[in-house]
PDB file of all heavy atoms in Angstrom:
ATOM      1  N   SER A1508      80.942 109.922  55.966  1.00 95.00           N
ATOM      2  CA  SER A1508      80.089 110.557  56.979  1.00 95.00           C
ATOM      3  C   SER A1508      79.919 109.633  58.178  1.00 95.00           C
ATOM      4  O   SER A1508      80.010 110.077  59.328  1.00 95.00           O
ATOM      5  CB  SER A1508      78.729 110.923  56.390  1.00 95.00           C
ATOM      6  OG  SER A1508      78.879 111.927  55.417  1.00 95.00           O
ATOM      7  N   SER A1509      79.698 108.346  57.921  1.00 96.00           N
ATOM      8  CA  SER A1509      79.586 107.373  59.015  1.00 96.00           C
ATOM      9  C   SER A1509      80.915 107.241  59.743  1.00 96.00           C
ATOM     10  O   SER A1509      80.965 107.199  60.980  1.00 96.00           O
ATOM     11  CB  SER A1509      79.148 106.013  58.473  1.00 96.00           C
ATOM     12  OG  SER A1509      77.855 106.097  57.940  1.00 96.00           O
ATOM     13  N   TRP A1510      82.008 107.165  58.971  1.00 97.00           N
ATOM     14  CA  TRP A1510      83.351 107.080  59.565  1.00 97.00           C
ATOM     15  C   TRP A1510      83.625 108.295  60.446  1.00 97.00           C
ATOM     16  O   TRP A1510      84.112 108.155  61.576  1.00 97.00           O
ATOM     17  CB  TRP A1510      84.399 106.978  58.442  1.00 97.00           C
ATOM     18  CG  TRP A1510      85.796 107.231  58.904  1.00 97.00           C
ATOM     19  CD1 TRP A1510      86.650 106.323  59.467  1.00 97.00           C
ATOM     20  CD2 TRP A1510      86.504 108.464  58.848  1.00 97.00           C
ATOM     21  NE1 TRP A1510      87.854 106.922  59.764  1.00 97.00           N
ATOM     22  CE2 TRP A1510      87.778 108.241  59.389  1.00 97.00           C
ATOM     23  CE3 TRP A1510      86.192 109.744  58.390  1.00 97.00           C
ATOM     24  CZ2 TRP A1510      88.738 109.245  59.499  1.00 97.00           C
ATOM     25  CZ3 TRP A1510      87.134 110.753  58.488  1.00 97.00           C
ATOM     26  CH2 TRP A1510      88.397 110.498  59.037  1.00 97.00           C
ATOM     27  N   PHE A1511      83.283 109.486  59.952  1.00 96.00           N
ATOM     28  CA  PHE A1511      83.520 110.719  60.694  1.00 96.00           C
ATOM     29  C   PHE A1511      82.749 110.692  62.020  1.00 96.00           C
ATOM     30  O   PHE A1511      83.294 111.050  63.070  1.00 96.00           O
ATOM     31  CB  PHE A1511      83.115 111.930  59.844  1.00 96.00           C
ATOM     32  CG  PHE A1511      83.432 113.253  60.457  1.00 96.00           C
ATOM     33  CD1 PHE A1511      84.739 113.673  60.619  1.00 96.00           C
ATOM     34  CD2 PHE A1511      82.416 114.107  60.860  1.00 96.00           C
ATOM     35  CE1 PHE A1511      85.032 114.913  61.176  1.00 96.00           C
ATOM     36  CE2 PHE A1511      82.688 115.345  61.411  1.00 96.00           C
ATOM     37  CZ  PHE A1511      84.004 115.749  61.569  1.00 96.00           C
ATOM     38  N   GLY A1512      81.520 110.240  61.982  1.00 95.00           N
ATOM     39  CA  GLY A1512      80.736 110.131  63.212  1.00 95.00           C
ATOM     40  C   GLY A1512      81.371 109.181  64.207  1.00 95.00           C
ATOM     41  O   GLY A1512      81.434 109.469  65.412  1.00 95.00           O
ATOM     42  N   ARG A1513      81.858 108.031  63.717  1.00 97.00           N
ATOM     43  CA  ARG A1513      82.523 107.075  64.610  1.00 97.00           C
ATOM     44  C   ARG A1513      83.796 107.674  65.197  1.00 97.00           C
ATOM     45  O   ARG A1513      84.070 107.535  66.389  1.00 97.00           O
ATOM     46  CB  ARG A1513      82.841 105.771  63.865  1.00 97.00           C
ATOM     47  CG  ARG A1513      81.636 104.875  63.635  1.00 97.00           C
ATOM     48  CD  ARG A1513      82.026 103.524  63.071  1.00 97.00           C
ATOM     49  NE  ARG A1513      82.546 103.592  61.713  1.00 97.00           N
ATOM     50  CZ  ARG A1513      81.779 103.651  60.615  1.00 97.00           C
ATOM     51  NH1 ARG A1513      80.463 103.639  60.725  1.00 97.00           N
ATOM     52  NH2 ARG A1513      82.329 103.715  59.425  1.00 97.00           N
ATOM     53  N   CYS A1514      84.574 108.348  64.347  1.00 97.00           N
ATOM     54  CA  CYS A1514      85.827 108.946  64.820  1.00 97.00           C
ATOM     55  C   CYS A1514      85.566 110.038  65.853  1.00 97.00           C
ATOM     56  O   CYS A1514      86.276 110.133  66.851  1.00 97.00           O
ATOM     57  CB  CYS A1514      86.621 109.528  63.648  1.00 97.00           C
ATOM     58  SG  CYS A1514      87.462 108.292  62.651  1.00 97.00           S
ATOM     59  N   CYS A1515      84.562 110.853  65.611  1.00 95.00           N
ATOM     60  CA  CYS A1515      84.250 111.952  66.539  1.00 95.00           C
ATOM     61  C   CYS A1515      83.813 111.446  67.901  1.00 95.00           C
ATOM     62  O   CYS A1515      83.843 112.191  68.883  1.00 95.00           O
ATOM     63  CB  CYS A1515      83.187 112.869  65.945  1.00 95.00           C
ATOM     64  SG  CYS A1515      83.791 113.858  64.558  1.00 95.00           S
ATOM     65  N   ALA A1516      83.402 110.192  67.986  1.00 97.00           N
ATOM     66  CA  ALA A1516      82.983 109.602  69.254  1.00 97.00           C
ATOM     67  C   ALA A1516      84.136 108.923  69.990  1.00 97.00           C
ATOM     68  O   ALA A1516      83.978 108.533  71.150  1.00 97.00           O
ATOM     69  CB  ALA A1516      81.858 108.596  69.012  1.00 97.00           C
ATOM     70  N   LEU A1517      85.295 108.785  69.354  1.00 97.00           N
ATOM     71  CA  LEU A1517      86.437 108.146  70.003  1.00 97.00           C
ATOM     72  C   LEU A1517      86.936 109.019  71.154  1.00 97.00           C
ATOM     73  O   LEU A1517      87.076 110.237  70.992  1.00 97.00           O
ATOM     74  CB  LEU A1517      87.577 107.943  69.002  1.00 97.00           C
ATOM     75  CG  LEU A1517      87.318 106.970  67.863  1.00 97.00           C
ATOM     76  CD1 LEU A1517      88.393 107.099  66.786  1.00 97.00           C
ATOM     77  CD2 LEU A1517      87.245 105.540  68.398  1.00 97.00           C
ATOM     78  N   PRO A1518      87.216 108.431  72.307  1.00 96.00           N
ATOM     79  CA  PRO A1518      87.679 109.236  73.445  1.00 96.00           C
ATOM     80  C   PRO A1518      88.887 110.122  73.121  1.00 96.00           C
ATOM     81  O   PRO A1518      88.943 111.279  73.545  1.00 96.00           O
ATOM     82  CB  PRO A1518      88.020 108.192  74.509  1.00 96.00           C
ATOM     83  CG  PRO A1518      87.136 107.031  74.169  1.00 96.00           C
ATOM     84  CD  PRO A1518      87.045 107.021  72.666  1.00 96.00           C
ATOM     85  N   ALA A1519      89.855 109.602  72.364  1.00 93.00           N
ATOM     86  CA  ALA A1519      91.036 110.406  72.024  1.00 93.00           C
ATOM     87  C   ALA A1519      90.657 111.592  71.146  1.00 93.00           C
ATOM     88  O   ALA A1519      91.198 112.690  71.300  1.00 93.00           O
ATOM     89  CB  ALA A1519      92.081 109.541  71.320  1.00 93.00           C
ATOM     90  N   ALA A1520      89.713 111.398  70.233  1.00 95.00           N
ATOM     91  CA  ALA A1520      89.264 112.486  69.368  1.00 95.00           C
ATOM     92  C   ALA A1520      88.469 113.511  70.160  1.00 95.00           C
ATOM     93  O   ALA A1520      88.664 114.727  69.991  1.00 95.00           O
ATOM     94  CB  ALA A1520      88.431 111.943  68.216  1.00 95.00           C
ATOM     95  N   VAL A1521      87.590 113.041  71.029  1.00 95.00           N
ATOM     96  CA  VAL A1521      86.798 113.953  71.858  1.00 95.00           C
ATOM     97  C   VAL A1521      87.728 114.851  72.667  1.00 95.00           C
ATOM     98  O   VAL A1521      87.506 116.065  72.779  1.00 95.00           O
ATOM     99  CB  VAL A1521      85.837 113.158  72.784  1.00 95.00           C
ATOM    100  CG1 VAL A1521      85.201 114.063  73.825  1.00 95.00           C
ATOM    101  CG2 VAL A1521      84.770 112.458  71.962  1.00 95.00           C
ATOM    102  N   ALA A1522      88.789 114.282  73.201  1.00 94.00           N
ATOM    103  CA  ALA A1522      89.728 115.052  74.018  1.00 94.00           C
ATOM    104  C   ALA A1522      90.517 116.072  73.204  1.00 94.00           C
ATOM    105  O   ALA A1522      90.908 117.120  73.728  1.00 94.00           O
ATOM    106  CB  ALA A1522      90.696 114.098  74.727  1.00 94.00           C
ATOM    107  N   ALA A1523      90.737 115.791  71.927  1.00 91.00           N
ATOM    108  CA  ALA A1523      91.582 116.660  71.107  1.00 91.00           C
ATOM    109  C   ALA A1523      90.815 117.661  70.251  1.00 91.00           C
ATOM    110  O   ALA A1523      91.367 118.686  69.868  1.00 91.00           O
ATOM    111  CB  ALA A1523      92.473 115.807  70.206  1.00 91.00           C
ATOM    112  N   MET A1524      89.574 117.376  69.939  1.00 91.00           N
ATOM    113  CA  MET A1524      88.824 118.249  69.024  1.00 91.00           C
ATOM    114  C   MET A1524      88.503 119.585  69.677  1.00 91.00           C
ATOM    115  O   MET A1524      88.296 119.662  70.885  1.00 91.00           O
ATOM    116  CB  MET A1524      87.558 117.561  68.545  1.00 91.00           C
ATOM    117  CG  MET A1524      87.830 116.374  67.656  1.00 91.00           C
ATOM    118  SD  MET A1524      86.314 115.559  67.152  1.00 91.00           S
ATOM    119  CE  MET A1524      86.522 115.621  65.394  1.00 91.00           C
ATOM    120  N   GLN A1525      88.467 120.597  68.830  1.00 87.00           N
ATOM    121  CA  GLN A1525      88.163 121.955  69.269  1.00 87.00           C
ATOM    122  C   GLN A1525      86.750 122.333  68.843  1.00 87.00           C
ATOM    123  O   GLN A1525      86.260 121.838  67.826  1.00 87.00           O
ATOM    124  CB  GLN A1525      89.171 122.932  68.662  1.00 87.00           C
ATOM    125  CG  GLN A1525      90.603 122.660  69.077  1.00 87.00           C
ATOM    126  CD  GLN A1525      90.800 122.792  70.573  1.00 87.00           C
ATOM    127  OE1 GLN A1525      90.397 123.769  71.184  1.00 87.00           O
ATOM    128  NE2 GLN A1525      91.394 121.777  71.190  1.00 87.00           N
ATOM    129  N   PRO A1526      86.110 123.235  69.565  1.00 88.00           N
ATOM    130  CA  PRO A1526      84.766 123.661  69.175  1.00 88.00           C
ATOM    131  C   PRO A1526      84.754 124.309  67.791  1.00 88.00           C
ATOM    132  O   PRO A1526      85.742 124.927  67.371  1.00 88.00           O
ATOM    133  CB  PRO A1526      84.385 124.687  70.242  1.00 88.00           C
ATOM    134  CG  PRO A1526      85.331 124.466  71.373  1.00 88.00           C
ATOM    135  CD  PRO A1526      86.575 123.880  70.785  1.00 88.00           C
ATOM    136  N   ALA A1527      83.631 124.179  67.105  1.00 84.00           N
ATOM    137  CA  ALA A1527      83.485 124.776  65.771  1.00 84.00           C
ATOM    138  C   ALA A1527      83.802 126.262  65.810  1.00 84.00           C
ATOM    139  O   ALA A1527      84.420 126.797  64.883  1.00 84.00           O
ATOM    140  CB  ALA A1527      82.073 124.537  65.247  1.00 84.00           C
ATOM    141  N   ALA A1528      83.410 126.940  66.869  1.00 85.00           N
ATOM    142  CA  ALA A1528      83.649 128.387  66.966  1.00 85.00           C
ATOM    143  C   ALA A1528      85.143 128.722  66.905  1.00 85.00           C
ATOM    144  O   ALA A1528      85.524 129.758  66.363  1.00 85.00           O
ATOM    145  CB  ALA A1528      83.041 128.938  68.253  1.00 85.00           C
ATOM    146  N   TYR A1529      85.989 127.848  67.428  1.00 84.00           N
ATOM    147  CA  TYR A1529      87.436 128.096  67.363  1.00 84.00           C
ATOM    148  C   TYR A1529      87.938 127.995  65.930  1.00 84.00           C
ATOM    149  O   TYR A1529      88.715 128.823  65.469  1.00 84.00           O
ATOM    150  CB  TYR A1529      88.201 127.110  68.238  1.00 84.00           C
ATOM    151  CG  TYR A1529      88.092 127.333  69.724  1.00 84.00           C
ATOM    152  CD1 TYR A1529      87.174 128.232  70.275  1.00 84.00           C
ATOM    153  CD2 TYR A1529      88.887 126.625  70.605  1.00 84.00           C
ATOM    154  CE1 TYR A1529      87.068 128.417  71.641  1.00 84.00           C
ATOM    155  CE2 TYR A1529      88.794 126.802  71.973  1.00 84.00           C
ATOM    156  CZ  TYR A1529      87.882 127.703  72.480  1.00 84.00           C
ATOM    157  OH  TYR A1529      87.788 127.876  73.828  1.00 84.00           O
ATOM    158  N   HIS A1530      87.497 126.959  65.226  1.00 79.00           N
ATOM    159  CA  HIS A1530      87.909 126.801  63.826  1.00 79.00           C
ATOM    160  C   HIS A1530      87.405 127.977  62.989  1.00 79.00           C
ATOM    161  O   HIS A1530      88.143 128.554  62.206  1.00 79.00           O
ATOM    162  CB  HIS A1530      87.360 125.489  63.247  1.00 79.00           C
ATOM    163  CG  HIS A1530      87.996 124.275  63.812  1.00 79.00           C
ATOM    164  ND1 HIS A1530      89.215 123.815  63.408  1.00 79.00           N
ATOM    165  CD2 HIS A1530      87.570 123.417  64.771  1.00 79.00           C
ATOM    166  CE1 HIS A1530      89.519 122.722  64.078  1.00 79.00           C
ATOM    167  NE2 HIS A1530      88.539 122.461  64.919  1.00 79.00           N
ATOM    168  N   GLN A1531      86.148 128.301  63.159  1.00 78.00           N
ATOM    169  CA  GLN A1531      85.560 129.382  62.367  1.00 78.00           C
ATOM    170  C   GLN A1531      86.165 130.728  62.740  1.00 78.00           C
ATOM    171  O   GLN A1531      86.404 131.562  61.869  1.00 78.00           O
ATOM    172  CB  GLN A1531      84.045 129.359  62.521  1.00 78.00           C
ATOM    173  CG  GLN A1531      83.453 128.119  61.881  1.00 78.00           C
ATOM    174  CD  GLN A1531      81.989 127.908  62.198  1.00 78.00           C
ATOM    175  OE1 GLN A1531      81.386 128.638  62.968  1.00 78.00           O
ATOM    176  NE2 GLN A1531      81.406 126.877  61.594  1.00 78.00           N
ATOM    177  N   GLY A1532      86.442 130.940  64.017  1.00 80.00           N
ATOM    178  CA  GLY A1532      87.092 132.187  64.432  1.00 80.00           C
ATOM    179  C   GLY A1532      88.478 132.322  63.841  1.00 80.00           C
ATOM    180  O   GLY A1532      88.887 133.410  63.413  1.00 80.00           O
ATOM    181  N   PHE A1533      89.198 131.232  63.790  1.00 76.00           N
ATOM    182  CA  PHE A1533      90.530 131.236  63.182  1.00 76.00           C
ATOM    183  C   PHE A1533      90.437 131.638  61.714  1.00 76.00           C
ATOM    184  O   PHE A1533      91.180 132.495  61.241  1.00 76.00           O
ATOM    185  CB  PHE A1533      91.166 129.850  63.331  1.00 76.00           C
ATOM    186  CG  PHE A1533      92.459 129.693  62.587  1.00 76.00           C
ATOM    187  CD1 PHE A1533      93.630 130.228  63.077  1.00 76.00           C
ATOM    188  CD2 PHE A1533      92.497 128.999  61.389  1.00 76.00           C
ATOM    189  CE1 PHE A1533      94.824 130.081  62.396  1.00 76.00           C
ATOM    190  CE2 PHE A1533      93.677 128.832  60.703  1.00 76.00           C
ATOM    191  CZ  PHE A1533      94.851 129.380  61.199  1.00 76.00           C
ATOM    192  N   ILE A1534      89.490 131.047  60.983  1.00 73.00           N
ATOM    193  CA  ILE A1534      89.318 131.363  59.562  1.00 73.00           C
ATOM    194  C   ILE A1534      88.893 132.817  59.386  1.00 73.00           C
ATOM    195  O   ILE A1534      89.358 133.505  58.479  1.00 73.00           O
ATOM    196  CB  ILE A1534      88.282 130.418  58.912  1.00 73.00           C
ATOM    197  CG1 ILE A1534      88.792 128.989  58.912  1.00 73.00           C
ATOM    198  CG2 ILE A1534      87.938 130.863  57.502  1.00 73.00           C
ATOM    199  CD1 ILE A1534      90.108 128.786  58.221  1.00 73.00           C
ATOM    200  N   LYS A1535      88.044 133.301  60.261  1.00 74.00           N
ATOM    201  CA  LYS A1535      87.567 134.688  60.128  1.00 74.00           C
ATOM    202  C   LYS A1535      88.689 135.704  60.300  1.00 74.00           C
ATOM    203  O   LYS A1535      88.580 136.821  59.820  1.00 74.00           O
ATOM    204  CB  LYS A1535      86.423 134.950  61.105  1.00 74.00           C
ATOM    205  CG  LYS A1535      85.141 134.274  60.663  1.00 74.00           C
ATOM    206  CD  LYS A1535      84.015 134.484  61.657  1.00 74.00           C
ATOM    207  CE  LYS A1535      82.783 133.722  61.192  1.00 74.00           C
ATOM    208  NZ  LYS A1535      81.676 133.818  62.139  1.00 74.00           N
ATOM    209  N   THR A1536      89.791 135.315  60.956  1.00 73.00           N
ATOM    210  CA  THR A1536      90.911 136.255  61.051  1.00 73.00           C
ATOM    211  C   THR A1536      91.485 136.535  59.659  1.00 73.00           C
ATOM    212  O   THR A1536      92.021 137.614  59.423  1.00 73.00           O
ATOM    213  CB  THR A1536      92.032 135.744  61.989  1.00 73.00           C
ATOM    214  OG1 THR A1536      92.584 134.528  61.492  1.00 73.00           O
ATOM    215  CG2 THR A1536      91.516 135.562  63.403  1.00 73.00           C
ATOM    216  N   PHE A1537      91.344 135.585  58.743  1.00 60.00           N
ATOM    217  CA  PHE A1537      91.745 135.828  57.362  1.00 60.00           C
ATOM    218  C   PHE A1537      90.776 136.802  56.692  1.00 60.00           C
ATOM    219  O   PHE A1537      91.176 137.689  55.948  1.00 60.00           O
ATOM    220  CB  PHE A1537      91.730 134.537  56.540  1.00 60.00           C
ATOM    221  CG  PHE A1537      92.871 133.616  56.828  1.00 60.00           C
ATOM    222  CD1 PHE A1537      92.622 132.382  57.391  1.00 60.00           C
ATOM    223  CD2 PHE A1537      94.168 133.964  56.531  1.00 60.00           C
ATOM    224  CE1 PHE A1537      93.658 131.505  57.650  1.00 60.00           C
ATOM    225  CE2 PHE A1537      95.212 133.103  56.778  1.00 60.00           C
ATOM    226  CZ  PHE A1537      94.955 131.872  57.347  1.00 60.00           C
ATOM    227  N   VAL A1538      89.486 136.612  56.942  1.00 61.00           N
ATOM    228  CA  VAL A1538      88.447 137.381  56.270  1.00 61.00           C
ATOM    229  C   VAL A1538      88.570 138.874  56.563  1.00 61.00           C
ATOM    230  O   VAL A1538      88.373 139.702  55.688  1.00 61.00           O
ATOM    231  CB  VAL A1538      87.044 136.858  56.671  1.00 61.00           C
ATOM    232  CG1 VAL A1538      85.943 137.714  56.071  1.00 61.00           C
ATOM    233  CG2 VAL A1538      86.889 135.412  56.228  1.00 61.00           C
ATOM    234  N   ILE A1539      88.927 139.197  57.805  1.00 63.00           N
ATOM    235  CA  ILE A1539      89.013 140.624  58.142  1.00 63.00           C
ATOM    236  C   ILE A1539      90.369 141.213  57.786  1.00 63.00           C
ATOM    237  O   ILE A1539      90.647 142.363  58.101  1.00 63.00           O
ATOM    238  CB  ILE A1539      88.681 140.881  59.626  1.00 63.00           C
ATOM    239  CG1 ILE A1539      89.649 140.147  60.552  1.00 63.00           C
ATOM    240  CG2 ILE A1539      87.243 140.518  59.930  1.00 63.00           C
ATOM    241  CD1 ILE A1539      89.471 140.486  62.016  1.00 63.00           C
TER     242      ILE A1539
END
Side-chain angles (χ1 to χ4, degrees):
S1508 294
S1509 295
W1510 165 84
F1511 185 68
R1513 284 188 292 278
C1514 284
C1515 289
L1517 294 167
V1521 169
M1524 293 178 124
Q1525 299 298 311
Y1529 287 11
H1530 290 281
Q1531 293 170 356
F1533 173 77
I1534 295 303
K1535 287 178 183 177
T1536 62
F1537 285 115
V1538 175
I1539 60 173

